[in-house]
Amino acid sequence: MTKKQSIYTSADQLDFTISDLQAMPVPSEVLMVKPTYFDVEYVINPHMKGHVGRVDKMQAQNEWEHLADAYEEHGFRVHMLDGMRGMPDMVFCANQSLPFIDTDGTRKVIMSIMHAEQRKKEVDAIEAWYRTQDYEILHLDPEKVSDFEGMGDAIWHFRRRLLWGGYGFRSSIEAYEEVSRLLDTPVIALELVDDKFYHLDTCFCSLDEKTVLVYPDAFTNEGMKLIHALYKNVIEATSYEAEKLFAVNAACPDGKNVFIQQGCTDVNKKLRDAGFAVHEFSTYEFIKSGGSVFCMKMMLWR
Ligand SMILES: NC(=[NH2+])NCCC[C@H](N)C(=O)O
């Protein structure tokens, strides 16, 4: 496809359909950071309020292990990285980077510029791990980009070279000009308008090429138009399940199986009706920090 434009912010700018886009392999590996030092120590999103010092460490460890096992059971190789003292949010390893595989098979990663001061040092720790993994490491120009929180806000369309980028709370729209240029990929930029849904991965879950799970009130009308223009099936979560159960922070690593927080009855029925297999997990300890299934891992290519 010849790109006329790299960042799309309104539906009338769209000059392609999904089938025009190049295919991209599905990741086969997962990175997870052990929750040894996970806790709620500060408040940088509305979900963390009232939870400082209230994490049940044993329970968190159990929840994390069940999730890691599930990736292994579904055939994914899981890299487990030790957490670090003083980095209670490092366990949310969707945030410090955005990995990518090029058309020639080169693996690259763009390192994040965390919005919150408290989380900035996590990026170096994750970068050090990528150095052991034969990834080409790319950095955003801090003169041009103030913040970008990796796969928390930048989500690949399933199996296609198209990036969906959320902005407004943790990432700024300028980041996507840079990301689009570095990865030579079009970006659909979606403004986030509700601070309870501060990362794109709290309100947008890419399920397969044609299907997405969203929480519509987290977006502008124009954002929802873009989503409807490029997805045939748009599954909507209720406000209760999206906000209290992080239903949309689910993960569908293979286009068939959806890993999701326990108890999302309405969303689960819609997912099953659409042909997906649903696997429920307890992530209550992590929800206290404003994260669930999706943000506790990073998908990688081998
Ligand atoms: N991608 C995510 N939604 N990650 C959750 C991050 C939670 C973390 N406490 C933060 O506010 O930064």
Side-chain angles (χ1 to χ4, degrees):
M1 158 197 173
T2 32
K3 280 193 268 87
K4 296 187 194 82
Q5 176 167 7
S6 53
I7 306 287
Y8 297 82
T9 53
S10 76
D12 58 24
Q13 296 167 338
L14 291 174
D15 51 4
F16 64 89
T17 61
I18 293 300
S19 52
D20 297 333
L21 298 169
Q22 285 179 306
M24 189 155 93
V26 177
S28 58
E29 304 197 348
V30 176
L31 170 69
M32 290 183 72
V33 174
K34 295 181 190 164
T36 323
Y37 299 103
F38 167 63
D39 206 346
V40 178
E41 294 181 3
Y42 42 74
V43 175
I44 54 171
N45 70 55
H47 307 274
M48 296 171 96
K49 276 188 204 122
H51 292 302
V52 172
R54 294 253 166 109
V55 170
D56 179 333
K57 300 288 177 62
M58 286 271 271
Q59 180 63 15
Q61 180 68 34
N62 285 338
E63 292 179 351
W64 185 91
E65 279 171 17
H66 279 122
L67 200 53
D69 288 349
Y71 284 105
E72 277 175 350
E73 281 158 20
H74 283 80
F76 291 87
R77 173 172 175 205
V78 181
H79 300 265
M80 294 182 191
L81 189 60
D82 285 331
M84 289 169 97
R85 195 183 294 281
M87 301 190 198
D89 274 334
M90 190 176 158
V91 68
F92 298 112
C93 62
N95 301 159
Q96 306 87 351
S97 70
L98 174 67
F100 173 73
I101 189 160
D102 230 330
T103 39
D104 65 5
T106 313
R107 295 176 304 149
K108 299 181 179 174
V109 60
I110 297 183
M111 299 314 299
S112 300
I113 299 177
M114 301 304 284
H115 178 81
E117 203 50 50
Q118 293 93 330
R119 297 197 63 190
K120 286 188 186 288
K121 53 187 185 296
E122 295 171 26
V123 179
D124 291 339
I126 296 287
E127 181 173 331
W129 180 79
Y130 277 111
R131 290 197 189 284
T132 69
Q133 296 296 314
D134 186 30
Y135 264 77
E136 187 181 316
I137 295 172
L138 308 171
H139 291 104
L140 296 167
D141 180 351
E143 299 279 308
K144 293 187 188 145
V145 177
S146 55
D147 47 16
F148 170 65
E149 292 203 353
M151 217 177 65
D153 270 326
I155 299 177
W156 290 107
H157 195 96
F158 188 74
R159 231 195 274 281
R160 294 286 173 176
R161 290 184 191 278
L162 172 68
L163 197 64
W164 292 84
Y167 68 93
F169 296 106
R170 299 297 190 84
S171 302
S172 40
I173 190 163
E174 294 73 34
Y176 295 110
E177 296 284 345
E178 285 286 288
V179 169
S180 173
R181 193 178 55 74
L182 285 169
L183 302 183
D184 190 24
T185 304
V187 178
I188 309 287
L190 299 173
E191 186 178 4
L192 303 179
V193 296
D194 180 338
D195 68 349
K196 292 191 288 305
F197 301 91
Y198 58 96
H199 271 146
L200 185 62
D201 71 8
T202 64
C203 50
F204 178 100
C205 180
S206 161
L207 297 171
D208 67 15
E209 273 180 69
K210 295 186 177 129
T211 318
V212 68
L213 167 64
V214 295
Y215 177 60
D217 290 359
F219 298 100
T220 61
N221 290 340
E222 201 52 54
M224 283 309 296
K225 267 196 215 162
L226 280 160
I227 291 170
H228 279 284
L230 292 171
Y231 281 102
K232 204 164 146 249
N233 312 324
V234 179
I235 300 178
E236 298 190 353
T238 62
S239 67
Y240 174 76
E241 291 186 5
E243 188 184 324
K244 302 290 183 225
L245 299 176
F246 272 68
V248 188
N249 198 253
C252 185
D254 58 2
K256 296 185 192 78
N257 291 284
V258 181
F259 297 177
I260 190 166
Q261 161 63 31
Q262 254 169 31
C264 301
T265 318
D266 176 75
V267 162
N268 288 348
K269 176 166 188 327
K270 291 171 180 163
L271 290 171
R272 290 192 181 103
D273 288 349
F276 293 93
V278 174
H279 308 269
E280 297 185 65
F281 297 87
S282 166
T283 61
Y284 284 112
E285 295 311 307
F286 299 92
I287 288 178
K288 292 176 181 171
S289 186
S292 179
V293 174
F294 185 89
C295 38
M296 290 163 67
K297 56 91 186 75
M298 177 51 80
M299 300 305 299
L300 300 163
W301 289 268
R302 178 45 58 195

